[in-house]
Amino acid sequence: MTSTPKRVPIPKNGVDYRGKVVLAPMVRSGELPSRLLALKYGADLVWGPETVDKSMIGTSKKFNTLTSTIDFTRFPSNSSRSTPIDQKESVIYRLHPTKEYGRLIFQLGTSSPTIAVEAAKLVARDVAGIDVNAGCPKPFSTTGGMGAALLQTPELLASILEALVKEVGEVYEIGISVKIRLLGTPGKTEALVKRLCQTGITGLTVHCRTTPMRPRERAIRDQLRMIACICREAGVACLMNGDVANRDQALTLAEEYGVDGAMIATAAEANSSCFRTEAEGGLLPWKEVVTEYMNLAVEVDNRWGNTKFLLSQLMPGKADVAKKCQQAKNYRQVCEILELDDLYDKARDLDERLGITQKAGQGIEKAKKRNQSAKAAGRNSDGHEDNEEHHHSLLSGRGIIAASAVAV
């Protein structure tokens, strides 16, 4: 007689990760329209982008009647300046209470049990689970002791999970999980996974790369069976992440390595219809996917800068229409380029709400004047740009300044 496998109980308002193919947490590609697109094409669950705990604290929760979404908003932090009377609140997190119901996992960036609990409580009633990011290798996360930095402080990570399980998971009856990366040796990975599985979590995802590795480097899967075995013995669901291209491959890999499911990241960023099986037709043409994305982005008042970035990922870079869209200044212009006539009026109204109604010609002239002024003001007597202006230029080139400038 075979014994029933041990399983950590799934809370009433939580969700079991087993048998699931899900959208991975991605900073720009995990915003609401991207999540809704993934769900439309068959994702079983969606992870939101890593949201830092301190950014959530102090937010106001509001139901947006225009978009039918729940928005967590706050005024930008300007400790040295008074807040202008007409300044708009920034949307820190936006979710859809019906379309994402029971399928949204909120990923938290944190390095403190106390602050993690305080932030998680704000959103706990509106999500199916809280996932702690212990795998992001980017400096914006690791500098504050978050993300992959937590892999070097396993007891701190365990204490964060234990606090969330007790003070959030048990109280709101949702699951708590964690996403990690491989450590330097199988032995270290094994010790970490065993410790984390003792915290009361319902799920663990392993990104099959070490912290120094980058996406272009092939995922390492030789530790997966060991990790899956530890999780199975502890009754914790185990997902894999890294170089998963589509639903069919995800299910095949899960069976091969004994894990319970898989996350799709880069492939979903390029074409969200990767969640469709081959039997369902597989990948859809990019134009069809882009049209659906645009409809969703307009429907939920997505930030223009984020939408423009996602279009650059969803469209072939060499296509003439893609180049034109990257020169567009607002939703209306994209609708004109893509000939989305049915969406035009809604796009125009959204542009007005976002304050991006300027015509392309006006934008070009303003940009020229700014560039001329910058060149005149940013040169020293020896003819070289000063360091501050040069640093600003470098950041702009990497999209950092531009990303903050379009936030609404």
Side-chain angles (χ1 to χ4, degrees):
M1 182 176 178
T2 58
S3 60
T4 303
K6 178 181 178 181
R7 289 194 177 188
V8 174
I10 304 300
K12 181 180 70 173
N13 301 319
V15 61
D16 195 343
Y17 294 174
R18 294 175 180 86
K20 305 294 194 299
V21 180
V22 309
L23 178 68
M26 292 179 280
V27 172
R28 288 183 288 184
S29 300
E31 297 293 345
L32 181 54
S34 298
R35 302 197 304 266
L36 294 178
L37 191 66
L39 289 172
K40 174 181 174 61
Y41 290 132
D44 297 306
L45 300 172
V46 289
W47 263 241
E50 176 192 17
T51 305
V52 176
D53 51 11
K54 292 179 181 178
S55 71
M56 285 296 294
I57 295 172
T59 58
S60 298
K61 177 182 173 180
K62 303 173 182 176
F63 180 76
N64 189 325
T65 57
L66 190 63
T67 58
S68 298
T69 59
I70 291 176
D71 297 348
F72 293 85
T73 65
R74 64 181 300 171
F75 287 108
S77 299
N78 293 313
S79 57
S80 60
R81 292 175 290 178
S82 59
T83 302
I85 297 176
D86 60 346
Q87 186 172 26
K88 294 182 179 180
E89 289 184 278
S90 296
V91 176
I92 304 301
Y93 200 85
R94 174 171 283 164
L95 60 88
H96 203 292
T98 54
K99 292 184 177 181
E100 294 188 287
Y101 179 76
R103 298 189 288 176
L104 172 62
I105 307 300
F106 180 89
Q107 193 182 62
L108 188 64
T110 186
S111 60
S112 163
T114 303
I115 301 177
V117 167
E118 185 179 356
K121 284 181 176 180
L122 297 172
V123 73
R125 295 185 188 279
D126 305 295
V127 299
I130 303 291
D131 185 73
V132 173
N133 184 336
C136 180
K138 301 294 184 181
F140 72 80
S141 188
T142 58
T143 300
M146 302 179 293
L150 287 170
L151 299 176
Q152 306 305 317
T153 54
E155 284 307 312
L156 172 59
L157 174 56
S159 69
I160 291 171
L161 295 173
E162 289 167 345
L164 286 169
V165 168
K166 182 178 180 180
E167 300 182 51
V168 180
E170 293 178 4
V171 174
Y172 296 90
E173 297 184 275
I174 60 174
I176 305 298
S177 59
V178 64
K179 186 171 187 285
I180 66 171
R181 282 186 174 234
L182 299 174
L183 293 180
T185 66
K188 290 181 179 180
T189 301
E190 179 181 9
L192 175 67
V193 174
K194 284 183 176 179
R195 177 67 183 94
L196 299 183
C197 284
Q198 297 171 352
T199 61
I201 57 175
T202 59
L204 179 147
T205 301
V206 56
H207 185 151
C208 298
R209 292 182 174 90
T210 60
T211 300
M213 293 177 67
R214 292 298 175 259
R216 64 179 178 275
E217 299 179 72
R218 189 173 181 178
I220 302 172
R221 297 189 177 127
D222 55 3
Q223 297 183 44
L224 261 182
R225 291 187 180 87
M226 174 264 290
I227 296 170
C229 183
I230 295 171
C231 289
R232 188 162 48 250
E233 290 177 355
V236 174
C238 180
L239 299 181
M240 63 170 289
N241 175 220
D243 291 349
V244 182
N246 54 57
R247 173 176 284 276
D248 288 333
Q249 185 196 29
L251 295 174
T252 299
L253 289 172
E255 183 175 358
E256 178 181 352
Y257 290 97
V259 296
D260 297 303
M263 278 184 172
I264 302 180
T266 306
E269 187 176 56
N271 189 324
S272 302
S273 65
C274 64
F275 288 102
R276 288 159 42 102
T277 63
E278 283 299 321
E280 295 169 327
L283 286 179
L284 291 167
W286 67 264
K287 289 184 179 180
E288 185 173 339
V289 176
V290 165
T291 298
E292 187 59 37
Y293 174 78
M294 278 293 293
N295 275 282
L296 291 169
V298 171
E299 177 185 329
V300 301
D301 279 19
N302 197 47
R303 289 174 296 174
W304 165 242
N306 180 255
T307 295
K308 190 172 182 179
F309 170 78
L310 261 298
L311 289 175
S312 73
Q313 303 303 301
L314 294 169
M315 304 170 74
K318 294 183 179 180
D320 288 340
V321 69
K323 296 175 182 177
K324 291 178 181 178
C325 283
Q326 285 309 297
Q327 295 174 353
K329 304 298 181 183
N330 50 42
Y331 281 97
R332 178 181 59 79
Q333 291 177 15
V334 170
C335 287
E336 290 175 347
I337 294 167
L338 298 177
E339 298 181 351
L340 303 178
D341 298 339
D342 293 342
L343 194 59
Y344 185 88
D345 289 342
K346 292 181 180 179
R348 181 192 58 204
D349 293 342
L350 176 55
D351 288 341
E352 292 180 357
R353 289 195 295 276
L354 298 180
I356 53 173
T357 56
Q358 69 171 15
K359 296 180 180 179
Q362 293 175 335
I364 293 172
E365 288 304 315
K366 289 182 179 179
K368 287 181 178 179
K369 290 180 179 179
R370 284 197 300 270
N371 288 338
Q372 291 172 353
S373 298
K375 288 179 179 180
R379 301 266 180 187
N380 293 322
S381 58
D382 60 357
H384 295 291
E385 293 182 359
D386 60 34
N387 290 333
E388 184 176 356
E389 187 68 25
H390 182 56
H391 181 60
H392 186 283
S393 176
L394 289 175
L395 291 177
S396 297
R398 291 161 48 200
I400 296 175
I401 298 300
S404 62
V406 297
V408 297

